Amino acid sequence: MTAAGGLAALAGSHGVVVCCGSGGVGKTTTAAAIAVEGARRGRRACVVTIDPAKRLADALGLAELTNEPSRVEGDWPEPGELWALMLDTKSTFDGLVTRYAGSPEQARAILENRLYRNIAGALSGTQEYMAMEKLYELHADGRFDLVVVDTPPTRNALDFLDAPRRLTRFLDNRVFRLLMMPTRAYMRAVSVATQAFLRTISRVVGGEVVADAVAFFQAFEGMEEGFRVRARRMEELLADPDTAFVLVASPRRDAVGEALFFADKLRESSINVDALVVNRLHPRFGGEGGQLREGAEAVRARAESLAGTPLAPFYANLADFRQVAEREETHFAELAARVAPAPVARVPFLAGDVHDLDGLTAVGRWLFA
Amino acid sequence: MDAAGFCTQTRVLIVAGKGGVGKTTVTAAVARMAAHAGLDTLIVEVEGKSGLGAAFGRDDPLTYDEVELAPAIRARTLTPDDALLEYLEDHGMKRVSKRLLSSGAIDVVATAVPGIKDILVLGKVKQLERAGTADLILVDAPAAGHAVTFLTSAAGLLDAVRVGPIRAQAQDVMDLLSDPARCQVLLVTMPEETPVNEVAETAFKLEDRVGIALAPVVVNGLYPPCPGLDEVSVAAAAEAADVALLPGEAEALASAAAFRRDRMALQAEQVARLASALPLAQLRLPFLFTTELGLHEVDTLAAALASGIEAL
């Protein structure tokens, strides 16, 4: 299997593709290009994006956050389709609450709680969790052969793996659960220490905050199990062989460092990297199969030996790019070795941002050549 | 203005920018520039993860305890969890602080009062500022959209929490952020479409919501000029130099020259777009073709920064 064939095969065969990597490395574009490739292969593909640049969002018909995929017109072979969705964390969470609530009253009590609104809007990990939730939902609903998800740029790019577990842990919170117990048990269970502890919290952040939290956990009562089951199913989906992980990186040293870290973490979670995409590689100019085989140093020396002639700047410029390319190659090789035998795709520095289907197809030529 | 003047305008300088634009590199360069101007700097890293050490040739990660990265440059981390623990300990809650953390109750509190951790981090920065711990305190802010959240959380909290020590803390933080004599933000971007759009957006949000003073914007990664690529063709240059080129060589030289010209034109276009979108002076830093980032390169950037500041 050639490297490029590997990534194309992935768009053609897997049910779920998760694109991960640090911020600013071209994850969103890569995810969209993989979905386009799926559609080109006659699959019904949907891409879930987190925070696309505005013009790409416009090109995909994503004028605003939606909770439902919208169809992107294109010349796909039957029965190929392309759909896209820009994740709306809050309404995805609301949908989940409504689904698991025992009654409309319970759902309303939760949705109106101030703590809940903060969880849905600001709790770290919620966006990751909801990206996974949306992925799970779209995968399960049977309308799509391929769901590609872009992961949020976070401090720790692995947050999305832990997110379901972290949220269930949050919802399980023991201190607050003690307060939810019926009155008499409450008297026994809430020890003096716990009361002191809650008083402390009240003193620092105000009693309202504690009251909101208690009200939230009371309203949430009985729903934790549903969330736990859901979280377990998401973990199963991530571990399923039908789910592929694509690690996206750029060849800068810091980005490569993060990608290496990421690859190790995935392995610790028993997840293989199924493909590696390295974006924004500088070209080497004439180095591939051409006659100009010397390294940057030799080219630099040539520039110096020609100093004063009009040819010198041309060699100096070539030496500059050779030097960058060699450095990037070292980083690239290290990363490729770490994820071996995963296929790798190289995408060169492109002239501008990708804003339309033609641009995505152009990226695809490098990804799936 | 000279480098010393720039570095002493405010004691706190917050460096912010989207991932991949070189925020940490710029932080290192500002610290070196300050050191060369005879000032001592404390770098505060708030995410607990940074390539800052590498820029100074160190492999070990930064810690909560200060380390000296170079003469007159110290650095430490100050993560939200660090700040919270320290706050609790300072407020006579040392005994319960461990339990707050281990029980997860802290997550509930932090969620119930969004931004509380950011406020505690900035509150600690304020404390360091008041203690005069260094001539310059450089805060390596969280990446991307997190930076706006980080800097606007105090304003949000003042609306949400009516009384108590946290409100007082938020007020202190607001006082710091909105005082142009004490604090300013140095935004970093790259001459590319998305980073330019984002930096302009961030700048306006910070100005509108926090009223924070903005330093000139740093444009990082500009290809330095390579004069002589435009005047003649490769073939004419070879003839003039009396050099016989190998097969393929002319094409490689010409396409490399064209690539540089094209990218420089694109970069110039983005720099101009930034200038019209964001009425801030620009400090331009070169893309470094030659080597991996290390102290030598940081110094090159520090020098470029200093000459940009002198030209302001």
Side-chain angles (χ1 to χ4, degrees):
Chain A
M1 190 190 282
T2 68
L7 195 56
L10 205 137
S13 61
H14 281 72
V16 173
V17 174
V18 180
C19 291
C20 44
S22 46
V25 295
K27 256 187 326 225
T28 306
T29 308
T30 304
I34 291 172
V36 167
E37 177 67 12
R40 278 169 32 102
R41 290 170 164 255
R43 306 185 80 205
R44 296 168 304 159
C46 180
V47 57
V48 180
T49 69
I50 306 292
D51 186 20
K54 194 173 177 309
R55 283 166 73 181
L56 179 62
D58 291 346
L60 292 173
L62 301 173
E64 55 197 29
L65 294 172
T66 50
N67 218 14
E68 279 303 310
S70 55
R71 191 161 178 173
V72 184
E73 293 309 324
D75 196 10
W76 324 112
E78 284 291 321
E81 292 171 6
L82 180 65
W83 296 73
L85 176 154
M86 183 156 64
L87 183 73
D88 181 344
T89 302
K90 176 148 188 328
S91 59
T92 304
F93 206 156
D94 290 354
L96 207 53
V97 167
T98 308
R99 176 196 300 254
Y100 285 109
S103 65
E105 292 71 37
Q106 185 182 19
R108 194 154 358 116
I110 295 170
L111 297 180
E112 286 170 1
N113 181 277
R114 196 154 52 155
L115 176 68
Y116 168 76
R117 292 205 299 270
N118 293 337
I119 296 174
L123 177 63
S124 91
T126 300
Q127 197 181 34
E128 290 83 348
Y129 178 85
M130 290 306 137
M132 290 300 112
E133 163 60 26
K134 190 45 85 178
L135 168 66
Y136 179 79
E137 215 178 283
L138 294 172
H139 176 71
D141 95 352
R143 271 187 293 166
F144 306 107
D145 307 313
L146 170 66
V147 183
V148 187
V149 67
D150 170 22
T151 55
T154 44
R155 295 174 188 193
N156 179 350
L158 280 171
D159 281 351
F160 74 91
L161 286 177
D162 300 333
R165 212 171 307 164
R166 262 199 297 149
L167 191 77
T168 30
R169 178 172 167 255
F170 180 93
L171 297 173
D172 256 352
N173 195 286
R174 214 179 309 138
V175 172
F176 288 88
R177 287 172 65 83
L178 287 175
L179 292 175
M180 292 157 33
M181 293 183 179
T183 318
R184 301 189 74 193
Y186 167 94
M187 295 303 284
R188 275 195 309 263
V190 181
S191 64
V192 175
T194 303
Q195 288 184 26
F197 178 67
L198 286 168
R199 261 203 312 277
T200 306
I201 298 177
S202 297
R203 206 168 63 227
V204 176
V205 297
E208 276 172 46
V209 167
V210 173
D212 280 343
V214 170
F216 170 76
F217 285 103
Q218 269 163 356
F220 207 78
E221 172 101 76
M223 283 175 56
E224 316 86 79
E225 186 53 23
F227 272 72
R228 233 191 323 269
V229 169
R230 191 82 167 179
R232 209 154 45 230
R233 295 224 184 98
M234 281 182 217
E235 282 174 19
E236 283 162 14
L237 177 62
L238 291 180
D240 194 291
D242 193 38
T243 298
F245 280 80
V246 175
L247 180 58
V248 186
S250 80
R252 293 163 46 105
R253 187 178 61 173
D254 48 349
V256 167
E258 284 181 33
L260 287 169
F261 173 77
F262 201 92
D264 291 344
K265 286 288 178 186
L266 284 173
R267 186 170 318 170
E268 281 169 26
S269 309
S270 309
I271 289 173
N272 286 326
V273 173
D274 298 277
L276 168 68
V277 173
V278 180
N279 283 316
R280 303 169 67 90
L281 281 156
H282 279 84
R284 196 167 180 272
F285 299 114
E288 305 84 7
Q291 298 278 331
L292 210 60
R293 286 168 192 280
E294 310 106 304
E297 251 176 77
V299 178
R300 182 82 63 200
R302 184 125 170 88
E304 275 153 25
S305 75
L306 288 165
T309 75
L311 204 50
F314 286 95
Y315 276 99
N317 178 54
L318 182 63
D320 279 350
F321 285 110
R322 278 286 165 90
Q323 209 152 5
V324 174
E326 282 171 14
R327 190 162 74 225
E328 290 180 349
E329 197 52 43
T330 313
H331 293 318
F332 176 80
E334 187 184 2
L335 201 48
R338 190 74 63 97
V339 299
V344 294
R346 305 156 161 265
V347 181
F349 230 115
L350 301 169
D353 279 12
V354 174
H355 334 105
D356 50 24
L357 283 180
D358 289 345
L360 289 175
T361 307
V363 172
R365 277 198 281 279
W366 294 98
L367 289 173
F368 313 108
Chain B
M1 189 189 295
D2 65 359
F6 179 83
C7 295
T8 50
Q9 274 182 317
T10 58
R11 197 187 292 278
V12 176
L13 184 62
I14 298 169
V15 186
K18 138 189 178 74
V21 299
K23 181 169 62 76
T24 300
T25 310
V26 170
T27 304
V30 174
R32 280 298 270 187
M33 178 176 76
H36 293 150
L39 303 166
D40 72 311
T41 300
L42 173 67
I43 303 174
V44 175
E45 204 285 318
V46 300
E47 289 190 299
K49 174 192 92 171
S50 144
L52 190 64
F56 291 92
R58 294 173 65 109
D59 289 335
D60 45 331
L62 296 179
T63 62
Y64 184 74
D65 297 313
E66 286 180 12
V67 291
E68 184 171 77
L69 292 176
I73 300 174
R74 290 166 292 145
R76 61 170 290 181
T77 60
L78 181 57
T79 64
D81 286 338
D82 291 338
L84 192 54
L85 262 183
E86 198 177 308
Y87 179 86
L88 293 173
E89 288 176 8
D90 287 353
H91 288 75
M93 285 174 260
K94 195 178 171 85
R95 280 187 323 131
V96 294
S97 62
K98 293 262 154 37
R99 205 168 145 230
L100 275 166
L101 274 187
S102 65
S103 68
I106 222 68
D107 289 341
V108 176
V109 173
T111 305
V113 190
I116 188 171
K117 289 184 175 181
D118 294 335
I119 283 149
L120 296 179
V121 167
L122 288 165
K124 179 70 192 173
V125 168
K126 183 218 72 181
Q127 202 181 321
L128 295 168
E129 179 226 19
R130 283 304 188 210
T133 181
D135 297 320
L136 177 64
I137 298 170
L138 276 175
V139 181
D140 193 351
H146 293 305
V148 173
T149 318
F150 178 65
L151 295 170
T152 52
S153 50
L157 196 135
L158 281 178
D159 294 338
V161 177
R162 313 243 174 276
V163 288
I166 287 292
R167 184 184 165 86
Q169 182 91 336
Q171 188 59 57
D172 281 355
V173 168
M174 271 311 274
D175 292 347
L176 169 68
L177 295 179
S178 59
D179 186 344
R182 291 169 67 195
C183 172
Q184 56 181 341
V185 170
L186 185 70
L187 292 167
V188 183
T189 190
M190 274 193 312
E192 289 179 29
E193 186 178 329
T194 306
V196 163
N197 294 345
E198 291 192 0
V199 80
E201 205 178 300
T202 302
F204 285 113
K205 278 185 188 160
L206 290 180
E207 211 156 53
D208 290 351
R209 297 197 201 153
V210 196
I212 199 163
L214 299 171
V217 58
V218 175
V219 187
N220 191 25
L222 284 155
Y223 282 9
C226 184
L229 296 180
D230 294 328
E231 291 82 27
V232 288
S233 70
V234 174
E239 206 178 306
D242 199 17
V243 169
L245 296 173
L246 294 168
E249 208 171 357
E251 288 80 355
L253 292 170
S255 50
F259 185 84
R260 187 160 190 149
R261 269 196 305 270
D262 291 350
R263 283 219 66 88
M264 287 182 72
L266 281 170
Q267 290 188 336
E269 202 181 294
Q270 295 303 332
V271 165
R273 214 164 59 79
L274 177 63
S276 68
L278 189 62
L280 287 177
Q282 297 180 1
L283 295 169
R284 296 173 192 166
L285 295 182
F287 179 81
L288 300 176
F289 281 100
T290 46
T291 37
E292 203 71 273
L293 190 71
L295 196 53
H296 180 69
E297 290 62 45
V298 171
D299 281 343
T300 306
L301 296 176
L305 210 49
S307 61
I309 286 166
E310 269 155 39
L312 284 178

